[in-house]
Amino acid sequence: MPTLGGDTQRRLRRIGGGGFFCKMLMLMLVAAATLRLCLLARAQPLCRNHMVRTGKVFHIRQQIQGDPLYFSSMRPHLIKHPCKKNVALYLGRQIFFTTDNFKSSLLPLSIPASMKVGTPELTSAHIADSVLVLVVNQKVYIYDYEANSWNTSLGIERPVSHVSGDNCCYSGHPFCVDMSNSVFAYLYGDQISQTTVYFSNTRGYKFQKFAYERQPELVGSLGGTFYFHSLSQVGLLLIDQGKARFGYSEHPLNSSFGLPFDYNGTLGILITPGQKGILIFWFEKSLLVSRNSGQLVYPVHVREGPNTLYSSISEANITIHSVAANEYELAVLTQENNLYYGSLGILSSSLIKFAGQNIWSQNAALMFTDVGRVEILTPIPDLMFPAFDFQKCSVNIQAILMDPQLQVDVCKAELLEGEFDNKMYTIDMNSKLELTALMIPRPGMSLIPLAMVSNPHSLGLQAIIYEDGYTYDGNTKHRLNISLKQQHHWGRADPNFTSSIKRPTGSTITLDIANKEISCVDLKPLTAFISVGCDQEKKIIIQNEISACQNNILDPVGLQDNYSYVIERDAYDPNFQGQKANEDLVVEYEYEKLGCPSLVYWNNPWKPVVELWREDKFQEVIETEFVLLEVHGLFTYTYSLTAQTALCKAQPQNWTTILGTAGDRRPFAWDRENYVSCHDPDNEAPLRWPNVPYQILGGPTANKVIFDQRNGIYIFYISIVDPHYSYCHLETTFSIYVYGAFPRSVILAEVTIIPLVVVMLLSVWLAYAIPKLLRTEKGVKFKGFWVHLCTSPPAPRHLRRLRWERGSPDPRRDAGEKPPLHLRWRTFWGVERRDSGLLRTVGLPGSAPEAQHPGGAEGPLRRCRRGPSSTSSLSLLSPGPDATELTVS
């Protein structure tokens, strides 16, 4: 036990003289020295071994069925399923597959003899969801461990040596499912300009050739093909003259390559889980890392002791035996019986050497069982049983880092948390996402938070940090607000930097502390995966304010009772080409799907009102471009605009051209992926037929649907085709009822219209010609003839009015003389009329007629005047101041 020196004892005697205080101080010093020794002793064992041995109590010998597989590499490798933590595959001299994290003895994995693989040499493996994708003897085989079935992959025509893929742990999302189903197969070392790469979106069951646009131009051999979901790119590793670099498939990275790096030996490539774009390249004397999917690759530094730092593995003169990594950590087992640990930080990566222990063996492999937990696994054969046991050596990283000899700084952060951690979000076109996080440093410490996206070509961010109060201990709380939206809509990036807005992409957002120490094992970065694509919660609904049921045109009870209707053969085409069918069509109405039809008057131009809903909440009325198609082939409608009146600059698309190239997708193949606007200046299709109907509704035009004179139900398919509105295929079906059209006449319109027009023109001509002819001499005689023929001698019935008007008394009247007359005569057609006993007149209007007083007396007229032309009258005035007016009508 350590003892106190003489100087210390003399100082204590001078202070307290051997009293109680002196004894307490001595005990504290002894305890501190003892604790230091205990820590040193505790730091000696790196891990404690324990053996896993199960199922061998009863002497029941299990037999290996089929051909046992073995790994072609001399270095063992262990593949962990990132989502199912207990599923793992050990690759070595024997292959072991476990679903309980090697907690039981296992038989080596074998392939059935019926597969006839020949040499059962395994060169590559990948766990895709619930199946193992294995390359055995240059062919791909699928083992479904849940169904315990084997299959041979289809579609691969040439030899392959490797497969690659990734797993997404955000279950249920279609984007995530597509990631897990994607698998590449290729032949390592083949000339890249001539090699064939195969791609599968069915977890390896069926492959097809992958077309890389610039592949014939590439020089070198193929080092690998990978789908970098964090960058939304397919990457090809090119090896040429000891250098390697990545080529990418999509804009904007397809026009250049990643920076070259040294390629020594055959590098194993490890894609870390979590879609963060971190790649690890390793060989016996090389360890490289990339944080941006291979665009930049640099060596990992090695730290041995507080003052020794090597720039690479080769400089540290160590030989790598096995490598393991999870989302945030890296572990390396060397042949020198050393374990190295490092953090995959957001800025730099370095390894720290732990104390040595006899942990290495030829069959040992590393794996992470949890954050800060590393396990060294070694299969142990059993002479009595074919099943192998497993020796495990578990390492607690946090406990090792507390060793004072390592001189690791204390973590400066107390807390880093956010609700978005380990979640998946979707940003649709023109959408935005807001995230928040909380950071609390240790007292007196300063932290540098750093937010980063893995795909800055499609996703942009803006972060704001501010103080948000204090903890109970007086520490300052810092709040971070992160805004995310498409890089296109930030307006800060060059168009040559951003990816195509029409293509769905993905990116990972990571929030970490830039100056974080390696001792912050439990303070993991906050990550979330952002799908820049379709928001599955969106849907479209057709507005139905006035339905046929509300107006008692259709009965909702009858519609639900197996209602059916007939479409005439002259009104539909089952091939959607506008040709008449051979027979009538009976349609069963689906009320549960369609509801009651909307009511539309046939003679009113019509356009449906389309509403956007998300999570059963109304968002907006959609005004962008969409198309309609009657699902049963009805063609009794057209459109109000043509290509010319819609102001198209190029020939617009229509259903005929779309169906001609639809293939298996017909008939409803028109969507945002194949729509090309005729108003797009980049559309170079010439406008050859300007009078064809313009079949796109919405958008910049006022196009509407015009129905023929036909009543009945129409069931329409509607699709939003604007590629800049949403990444979703927004489509649905709905029904309308067209009413108000009278039945068509059985008599042709030409039969009635042409005679009617002839009669009207003839009447107009007669109204002009007859009066003109009657003014001639022959016309007068003709009129007189018909008047004499149609009238009788007594004329009083023709006299409509006879009025005598007398003025003041006339002396001549008192003397018995006859007073002068004032005669007004109305004539018809200028025919002579006589009124027997009252008036005799000869001549036409305008002549000087003779007037006779009542009783037959005659007398001359002093003045003759023709009345207004509108009345065809004649006025006869007698002289004298006391005029008498006689009016005959």
Side-chain angles (χ1 to χ4, degrees), residues 843-864:
L844 294 173
S847 64
E850 296 179 357
Q852 183 180 356
H853 286 277
E858 298 181 359
L861 295 176
R862 294 286 301 273
R863 183 170 52 171
C864 177

Side-chain angles (χ1 to χ4, degrees), residues 33 61 83 87 177 238 390 514 530 537 634 710 744 831 878 882:
R61 297 184 61 86
C83 310
V87 175
V177 173
L238 289 70
F390 296 96
I530 311 298
E537 300 296 331
L634 270 170
R710 177 187 179 274
R744 292 182 179 272
V831 181
S878 64
D882 189 8

